[in-house]
Structure formats: C-alpha cells, structure tokens
Amino acid sequence: MVGKLLLRGMLVGLVAGILAFAFARVYGEPQVDKAIAFEEQQAQAAGEAPEPEMVSRVTQAGIGLATGVLVYGAALGGLFSLVFAYAYGRLGSLGPRSTSALLALLGFLAVIVVPSLKYPANPPAVGNPETIAYRTELFFIMIVISIAAMVAAVGLAQRLWSKLGAWNASIVAGLAFLVVFALVKAALPDINEVPENFSATVLWQFRVASLGIQL
C-alpha cells in the first residue's frame, strides 16, 4: 500500500516538475538573465574583469534547470505520499481528497510561504557571495521551525477539537502558529543585500515567479 502510494506520489511529482520547469522557463529565467546583466554592468563600471562562466546559461536554463526541478518534484511527491500515508485517518473524518488538500495547503504554508515572508527569494546574481552559506543556513532554520510549529499547531487543534469544536480549535491553533512565527521572525536576523539601484520590478517578478514554481 505504502509502496504504491510512494510510486504514485513520485510520478505525480514528475508531472508537477514538468509544469514547474515550463513555468520557470517562461517567467523565471528572464528575470535571472536581467539580474545577471545587472551584475555584469556593475562589475564593468567598477573595472572588474568578468568572472569565467563555468556552466553556460544555455545549460543552466535548459538541462540543468530541468534536472533540478524534476528531481525536486519527484522527491517532494514521494515525501508527500509518505506524509499522507501517515496522516490519513488521523485528521478526523476527512476523506482521502480532503486529507490531501489539507496537507498540501499546510505544507505549502509551512515550507514555502512562511519562510519566504522572512527570507524572500533573490535572483542568483544578487547578494554577497561570501554570505551564501550563512543565508542558506538561516533559511533552512526558518523552514525547520515553520514545519515544527505547523505540526504542533495541528496537534493543538486535535486536542482542542472535542472541547471547542473543529472551527474554534482550528482558529486557536492558527493563532498560536502566527504567534510563534512572529516571535521567530523577530528573533532571527534580517538580511537585505539587494543593491539600492537594482530594479524593484525585476526583484518582484522574480519572487512572484519563484512562488509560482512552487505551486
């Protein structure tokens, strides 16, 4: 049973990866090209020699992007199927479709939306290269905390279900999650390495495209 769910989840993830790749090519890659052009202009204005291109942009935006997105989609689909196998029957009287929809919504909020509110995506050419590891570490810390807070919120809702009812229990759990998020957001350091003269339009479109790929 679980093996079949895992296989189906990975296949669905591959299909989603194909759609995400198409979306990224149309909406994401043009913004990356604009960011790279900005970086090259800044380097030229500063009299710096252009950095050697280890991998061509054609490869990055083609086979490289496709490989990354498809592997990510398959892995995420498989992981989702395992979470579904565990959660199904433990979320009240929800059927399989309702359980899947709820898990997808909660997962999207915890893994994508909430961490991005603290550390939104930036084009690859924007930011200090020396702080990549530090920024990545903070982002993953935010993801882990967000997932843990979401799991705790779901557990809280289940415990309050019989006392307050489904609706009120969900509201209380949601408010508790927001409180945790607000505290963590205030505690973790802010990072803003986007140059002042970088196009706000390009930055916004890139972030929207990044969010759209995850959908």
Side-chain angles (χ1 to χ4, degrees):
M1 178 64 179
V2 176
K4 291 182 179 179
L5 279 175
L6 178 61
L7 179 59
R8 291 178 181 178
M10 294 180 69
L11 290 176
V12 172
L14 282 174
V15 174
I18 294 173
L19 296 176
F21 170 71
F23 186 91
R25 284 283 295 177
V26 174
Y27 295 101
E29 285 302 317
Q31 314 312 320
V32 174
D33 290 335
K34 292 176 183 178
I36 293 176
F38 171 83
E39 183 183 42
E40 292 175 347
Q41 291 174 359
Q42 294 294 103
Q44 185 177 8
E48 300 175 357
E51 296 183 2
E53 191 176 55
M54 304 299 294
V55 181
S56 69
R57 277 294 297 145
V58 174
T59 301
Q60 292 177 22
I63 187 65
L65 177 63
T67 301
V69 172
L70 290 177
V71 171
Y72 174 77
L76 192 61
L79 180 61
F80 180 85
S81 66
L82 295 178
V83 174
F84 172 83
Y86 174 80
Y88 182 55
R90 291 181 168 88
L91 298 176
S93 58
L94 294 179
R97 292 183 180 179
S98 299
T99 300
S100 297
L102 180 60
L103 290 177
L105 175 61
L106 297 181
F108 182 68
L109 290 175
V111 179
I112 305 300
V113 176
V114 170
S116 296
L117 291 176
K118 177 62 179 179
Y119 299 117
N122 288 329
V126 174
N128 185 357
E130 297 180 358
T131 64
I132 290 179
Y134 176 63
R135 287 183 279 127
T136 302
E137 180 181 350
L138 288 176
F139 184 71
F140 276 102
I141 289 174
M142 189 67 203
I143 290 178
V144 171
I145 294 176
S146 178
I147 293 175
M150 184 63 75
V151 172
V154 172
L156 177 62
Q158 289 179 316
R159 287 193 293 271
L160 297 177
W161 199 297
S162 59
K163 297 180 180 179
L164 303 179
W167 179 254
N168 291 332
S170 299
I171 291 178
V172 172
L175 291 175
F177 177 82
L178 290 177
V179 169
V180 173
F181 166 66
L183 293 175
V184 173
K185 186 176 185 297
L188 290 177
D190 294 326
I191 295 179
N192 183 16
E193 297 180 349
V194 179
E196 293 183 0
N197 57 340
F198 187 79
S199 172
T201 301
V202 173
L203 183 62
W204 170 254
Q205 290 177 345
F206 176 82
R207 289 176 175 175
V208 171
S210 298
L211 187 62
I213 292 172
Q214 304 296 333
L215 286 172

